[in-house]
Amino acid sequence: MSTGKVKKRKNKRRPSKGKGSRTKPIPEEVNRKLGEATLHYASGRHAEAITLLLAVIREAPNLPDAYHTLGLLYESQGDAKKALDFHMISAHLSKDSQVWKRIAKMSTDLGYLRQAIYCLKNAINRDKNDLDAKWDKAVLHSEIDEPRKALKAFKQLATVRPGDPEIAKMLARLHHQLGNPEEAKNVLQAHLHEYPTAVDLTHINILAELYMEASEWGLAVDNIQYADAQLCGQAGLPVELQVKAGVCCAHLESDVESSHGMHEAQQYFGNLLEEPLAENADLCLTVAEELLQLQHAEEALIFYKHVQELPDYNNTELWGKIARCQQALGKSQELVSMYEAVMQDELCPAWKQSEAALALAQLHLDAGATLAAQQVLSILKQPNEALDDTQQQDGSAGQQAQTLFHRAGLMLRLGQQDEFLELMLPMVSATIRGAEERGEGQADPAAALDPSVAKALRRRQRGVSRKKVFAEADTVFKGYTTRDRRSAHVRQADEAAEAVLAAGANGGITGAADMEGAADMGLAAGGASGLFKQDSEFQMLVQTGRLLLKQGRLTEAKSLIDSSIRLFAKRWVDKSRRDVLQMVLAEIHIAEQEHEVAYELLKPVCCRWPDSTHVWNTYCRVLAGMGGIRHTAKFILPLRAKNPSSLPLMLLAGHCLSQTTQSQALGEYFHAFRLNPHQPLTLLCIALGYMQQAMTRKVDDRNRVVLQAFAFFQEYARHREHEQESNYNLGRAAHHLGLVHIAVEYYQKCLDGIGSESVQALHGGSEPPYEAGLSQEAAFNLSLIYRGTGADDLARQVLQKYVSI
């Protein structure tokens, strides 16, 4: 009877009959040619050797000896690249781990680090106990920015080589690089505790830096002092550790529980002043910056002046730090003397003298000595004078540009607008004109391409690639490469984009390859990207346009800003800065009464900056010139839906809806009120909304709505700083409702705040001061109330005092 169980058949592999070694014997002809080639190589007849070796490879391609001999031959000729390629082929055909290690060293020497990792991996696979190969592989992982793989490899080595000092250092560095400083400290602390005989000063230095980074100053000092006692002996601490100990003691001065303080720090720092300055200038600057940060300006000044003895460090940056110390100590006169000494030094370069003069002018300006600042600026060169021959040979055109920008900024602070334009306008115009002649303002080349290719091109221009390639170019074996998971059409688009960029680099496409190179050009080199990317240069461009607008030179302003915006169509330009220029151009069109053009310029800017008060204020100026807000509802309401947290859009949406349904307008105003309940403009809009609702026929309780309106009017007056404006609006609201006894009181408050000088200005026909801005309107409305009640004499007196000219 069957039990239902099925016996498994055992598959026994039958032994092969008569099968010996798989290695085939080398033909005699191949052996003969290989021997002759070796003799030719040894005799220096390389051409004959190469011919025979290539013949051997054609007859026996799997024979490693031919590739190995070719590698040695090319290596003796000095062609390391070809030698490496042939050695790589030979290594794949042999089983010797030492060959892989030798090729790894050759790859490292040629800079093919990933290929070296690949070779070391093969060496480790052939010899699992080769710790040197594992060490080299871990170090290479750290060099190619793969800290996690390096950390894993060093942890494995730490289990095999416990107490190795170099492994502890590498583990600490890698933990810190990965953002785990606590793990780095734990590794070094464990090494110091468990293997004190394997500790050197590098361990102490790394651990001290980790303590200082975590503001654990006391632990850092104890660690350094332990090194001084146990490791240094008679030689003493290195100067770098002395500086670290001094910095920690200075930070511990305010700690009452610590025995360290500023006196001990000065002892450490004093040794630094005795060391050679040229080798320790950076350490002196570090000490000075720490002391200045801790409000020890006098001690910091000693180190700054010590560094100032080196000509390479005696620059504007150091002068600024010395100025901070002198100002903190109240020694501005010594600072003036220092700048004057630089200006009078005949051996000092001209650009340094100019920077000293500008720094002195800024010092006078900060101190309120405007006349002294103007006198210093007047001695500088005229803006149209070129650099002298020495400066041009030194390549200091960029330095001259920075000096001019500094001078232009001082001119703005002094109110020298004409001089500012005389200095900046020719330079900015020449920069933009030169950029246009070079074709920097041409349209984006991606616009004329297939959409998928254009998308791939723009992605590369932003520095993003869909394929993360780890392979190294010009190598036979690529080592580590990632799998290409892109779809076929994306791969084709990327290849086409790479071809476009390559053609641009060779001059085939204008603008595509120039995009990256343009980023390296500054204003002094005639490039536009420096003008548009650096903050100081861009602000000077904007200020130039605004000053031209302010002086009424609208044609020049429009030409300058138009040219700039055309250049801002480039992909390497920040859109926010292009928006700033469009705002300036819109203000120019507003001044020319071209409100429709300004409106079209502002629409994309408003979409990108929905929370900017300045943008919406300019937009409302345009609407006022166009005759109202009703026709903009199609633009405002969808934009309000896309930006539900924008307070300006809430108010503008309320204004649009107030033309049709007042209740919906009040809903928008209350949205803004909940977002910012103390904004006076929001409170005023709600009050006006209730006022308009009270004047309609559909209101149920008119008195309640009027009370609500005046409640928000009172809240608006409480939060509004301009008292005259709030009094006028309250009086106008009461006047509108026929509550003339209330309106008279607020109109009179509006007029009582005006001084006698403001009244004389009104009668003289000159520009009235800010406090008298609404006085004429208030006086006229008050006269209407008086005339309505029959008090014509009172009305006449008010008009004669405040309105007549």
Side-chain angles (χ1 to χ4, degrees):
M1 184 176 178
S2 175
T3 60
K5 293 183 178 180
V6 180
K7 291 184 178 180
K8 294 183 178 179
R9 294 183 61 184
K10 294 184 179 179
N11 256 339
K12 293 185 178 180
R13 181 179 295 176
R14 296 180 180 179
S16 56
K17 296 180 180 180
K19 190 172 182 180
S21 175
R22 295 185 178 181
T23 305
K24 296 181 179 180
I26 301 175
E28 293 183 3
E29 182 65 20
V30 173
N31 260 332
R32 185 184 62 79
K33 290 182 178 179
L34 192 59
E36 291 180 5
T38 305
L39 288 175
H40 285 307
Y41 163 63
S43 302
R45 296 188 293 272
H46 293 168
E48 293 83 352
I50 291 174
T51 303
L52 286 173
L53 289 172
L54 292 177
V56 170
I57 291 173
R58 283 192 292 269
E59 295 180 16
N62 294 330
L63 186 63
D65 296 346
Y67 299 104
H68 178 70
T69 307
L70 275 172
L72 294 175
L73 190 150
Y74 282 113
E75 195 172 352
S76 65
Q77 290 182 347
D79 194 343
K81 177 65 180 58
K82 276 191 176 182
L84 177 61
D85 293 343
F86 282 109
H87 280 309
M88 282 290 294
I89 300 172
S90 172
H92 278 85
L93 297 173
S94 65
K95 298 181 179 180
D96 188 1
S97 63
Q98 295 301 320
V99 174
W100 283 109
K101 292 175 66 174
R102 183 172 182 273
I103 300 172
K105 184 179 182 306
M106 293 177 65
S107 300
T108 304
D109 294 340
L110 290 174
Y112 301 138
L113 302 185
R114 294 190 180 277
Q115 181 170 281
I117 293 174
Y118 173 78
C119 297
L120 291 170
K121 183 179 178 182
N122 281 281
I124 294 169
N125 290 337
R126 286 161 174 76
D127 185 1
K128 302 292 184 182
N129 298 322
D130 193 344
L131 299 183
D132 292 337
K134 292 181 179 180
W135 172 273
D136 294 338
K137 180 172 174 287
V139 171
L140 288 174
H141 276 302
S142 65
E143 290 183 6
I144 63 173
D145 198 18
E146 291 181 349
R148 297 189 184 279
K149 291 183 179 180
L151 183 62
K152 181 179 179 181
F154 278 114
K155 283 182 177 179
Q156 293 174 355
L157 285 171
T159 60
V160 183
R161 289 182 179 176
D164 190 313
E166 298 301 322
I167 292 178
K169 297 173 189 175
M170 293 300 299
L171 286 174
R173 292 189 180 105
L174 290 169
H175 277 302
H176 184 266
Q177 185 178 352
L178 290 170
N180 300 319
E182 291 300 324
E183 290 292 332
K185 286 189 286 186
N186 293 337
V187 168
L188 291 175
Q189 288 168 351
H191 184 77
L192 266 65
H193 178 70
E194 297 175 6
Y195 310 100
T197 58
V199 175
D200 58 27
L201 291 177
T202 306
H203 295 95
I204 302 299
N205 192 20
I206 297 174
L207 188 55
E209 289 179 356
L210 292 170
Y211 283 139
M212 293 172 68
E213 186 178 318
S215 299
E216 297 174 348
W217 311 107
L219 293 175
V221 173
D222 295 340
N223 177 49
I224 296 173
Q225 290 180 346
Y226 164 81
D228 190 14
Q230 300 295 329
L231 302 177
C232 297
Q234 298 295 329
L237 282 171
V239 64
E240 186 177 356
L241 284 177
Q242 290 186 31
V243 167
K244 286 183 171 63
V247 169
C248 295
C249 292
H251 279 275
L252 289 171
E253 183 185 14
S254 59
D255 189 354
V256 295
E257 298 180 358
S258 175
S259 59
H260 307 286
M262 194 62 198
H263 178 70
E264 187 176 357
Q266 289 176 346
Q267 293 178 353
Y268 283 115
F269 294 151
N271 297 330
L272 176 61
L273 295 174
E274 299 175 0
E275 298 290 333
L277 177 59
E279 301 173 3
N280 299 285
D282 292 333
L283 287 177
C284 291
L285 289 175
T286 301
V287 171
E289 289 170 5
E290 291 289 341
L291 290 173
L292 185 58
Q293 182 181 356
L294 294 172
Q295 307 300 321
H296 294 289
E298 188 171 359
E299 291 81 0
L301 186 60
I302 296 174
F303 287 93
Y304 281 136
K305 287 189 174 181
H306 187 53
V307 175
Q308 195 179 11
E309 297 175 5
L310 293 175
D312 293 340
Y313 287 84
N314 190 16
N315 51 28
T316 52
E317 184 179 359
L318 184 62
W319 297 343
K321 294 174 181 177
I322 293 176
R324 288 173 57 193
C325 295
Q326 298 281 20
Q327 290 172 352
L329 295 172
K331 299 180 180 179
S332 300
Q333 187 58 41
E334 294 184 10
L335 192 59
V336 171
S337 302
M338 181 189 73
Y339 288 138
E340 289 178 348
V342 175
M343 293 169 59
Q344 295 171 4
D345 187 0
E346 297 179 356
L347 300 178
C348 187
W351 64 270
K352 274 193 177 182
Q353 292 179 345
S354 299
E355 289 181 347
L358 292 174
L360 181 58
Q362 186 167 355
L363 181 65
H364 286 313
L365 197 56
D366 293 339
T370 305
L371 184 59
Q374 291 176 350
Q375 290 176 351
V376 173
L377 284 180
S378 64
I379 67 175
L380 291 176
K381 289 183 177 182
Q382 294 301 320
N384 56 355
E385 292 187 16
L387 290 170
D388 56 21
D389 296 337
T390 304
Q391 285 179 285
Q392 290 178 356
Q393 291 173 2
D394 293 341
S396 56
Q399 188 67 46
Q400 187 208 29
Q402 294 300 323
T403 303
L404 290 177
F405 287 134
H406 190 185
R407 182 183 177 190
L410 293 176
M411 287 178 175
L412 280 180
R413 292 184 60 183
L414 289 169
Q416 299 176 353
Q417 298 180 0
D418 294 334
E419 291 81 356
F420 173 84
L421 289 177
E422 183 183 357
L423 176 68
M424 290 303 300
L425 185 58
M427 184 167 58
V428 173
S429 301
T431 301
I432 295 175
R433 185 167 57 252
E436 289 179 340
E437 291 174 356
R438 288 190 302 272
E440 292 184 33
Q442 292 182 1
D444 187 2
L449 301 174
D450 182 80
S452 60
V453 179
K455 185 177 180 181
L457 179 63
R458 289 166 182 150
R459 189 166 58 242
R460 272 156 177 72
Q461 291 165 352
R462 293 194 304 269
V464 180
S465 177
R466 291 287 292 275
K467 181 183 177 183
K468 192 177 181 181
V469 181
F470 288 126
E472 292 161 336
D474 301 329
T475 55
V476 173
F477 294 92
K478 304 301 181 184
Y480 291 109
T481 57
T482 55
R483 181 182 175 186
D484 191 355
R485 300 179 181 274
R486 298 172 297 171
S487 57
H489 72 280
V490 174
R491 189 182 303 109
Q492 293 173 0
D494 287 342
E495 291 172 355
E498 290 173 2
V500 171
L501 289 175
N506 295 326
I509 299 291
T510 302
D514 292 341
M515 193 172 302
E516 297 177 0
D520 299 329
M521 292 188 299
L523 181 63
S529 63
L531 181 63
F532 296 151
K533 284 195 171 185
Q534 302 298 326
D535 288 335
S536 57
E537 286 87 337
F538 178 74
Q539 290 302 323
M540 290 303 167
L541 170 64
V542 175
Q543 288 291 346
T544 303
R546 291 191 183 279
L547 283 179
L548 289 173
L549 171 62
K550 184 177 179 180
Q551 293 187 358
R553 299 161 65 176
L554 301 181
T555 303
E556 294 178 73
K558 184 189 293 186
S559 174
L560 177 69
I561 302 301
D562 264 333
S563 302
S564 302
I565 290 177
R566 284 198 300 271
L567 291 177
F568 264 76
K570 296 291 291 182
R571 289 284 171 179
W572 45 260
V573 175
D574 187 1
K575 288 184 179 179
S576 62
R577 297 190 172 180
R578 183 173 60 192
D579 291 341
V580 172
L581 287 185
Q582 286 193 209
M583 288 283 295
V584 177
L585 185 59
E587 293 177 6
I588 295 172
H589 285 292
I590 293 173
E592 293 182 338
Q593 301 299 318
E594 297 175 351
H595 297 98
E596 290 77 8
V597 180
Y599 179 75
E600 295 300 326
L601 283 170
L602 287 174
K603 283 174 65 175
V605 180
C606 293
C607 293
R608 283 191 288 268
W609 302 93
D611 298 317
S612 174
T613 305
H614 176 64
V615 170
W616 289 111
N617 283 343
T618 309
Y619 180 83
C620 291
R621 287 175 56 196
V622 174
L623 294 184
M626 294 175 66
I629 197 173
R630 181 178 300 178
H631 66 283
T632 65
K634 292 182 180 180
F635 172 68
I636 294 294
L637 296 180
L639 193 59
R640 162 76 177 94
K642 293 179 182 179
N643 301 277
S645 61
S646 173
L647 190 146
L649 277 172
M650 293 176 188
L651 296 179
L652 286 173
H655 297 344
C656 293
L657 294 171
S658 65
Q659 308 293 325
T660 55
T661 55
Q662 198 60 46
S663 58
Q664 292 183 7
L666 280 172
E668 292 291 338
Y669 294 148
F670 272 106
H671 277 300
F673 176 73
R674 282 190 289 272
L675 189 65
N676 189 355
H678 305 300
Q679 173 58 248
L681 180 59
T682 305
L683 297 170
L684 179 62
C685 290
I686 294 175
L688 292 176
Y690 275 125
M691 284 284 294
Q692 291 187 8
Q693 194 176 40
M695 304 305 292
T696 60
R697 298 179 180 179
K698 298 181 180 180
V699 62
D700 295 331
D701 190 348
R702 196 181 308 275
N703 293 331
R704 179 180 61 83
V705 175
V706 170
L707 286 176
Q708 289 176 328
F710 272 92
F712 278 99
F713 270 124
Q714 293 291 342
E715 191 69 11
Y716 150 75
R718 189 167 68 88
H719 289 285
R720 180 61 173 155
E721 295 180 356
H722 191 198
E723 187 177 354
Q724 187 192 46
E725 176 194 306
S726 58
N727 287 329
Y728 176 81
N729 286 330
L730 281 166
R732 186 68 186 86
H735 192 181
H736 183 67
L737 293 174
L739 305 174
V740 292
H741 59 291
I742 299 177
V744 168
E745 180 181 354
Y746 282 108
Y747 284 147
Q748 195 60 49
K749 286 182 180 180
C750 185
L751 296 174
D752 290 342
I754 304 176
S756 58
E757 296 180 359
S758 301
V759 174
Q760 293 178 1
L762 291 173
H763 283 286
S766 60
E767 182 70 22
Y770 180 71
E771 63 175 10
L774 294 170
S775 58
Q776 293 180 332
E777 290 81 355
F780 180 75
N781 292 342
L782 184 60
S783 68
L784 292 179
I785 295 175
Y786 286 154
R787 291 175 62 185
T789 58
D792 293 338
D793 293 337
L794 286 176
R796 191 178 301 107
Q797 290 177 9
V798 169
L799 292 175
Q800 287 178 350
K801 184 175 182 181
Y802 296 102
V803 181
S804 61
I805 298 176

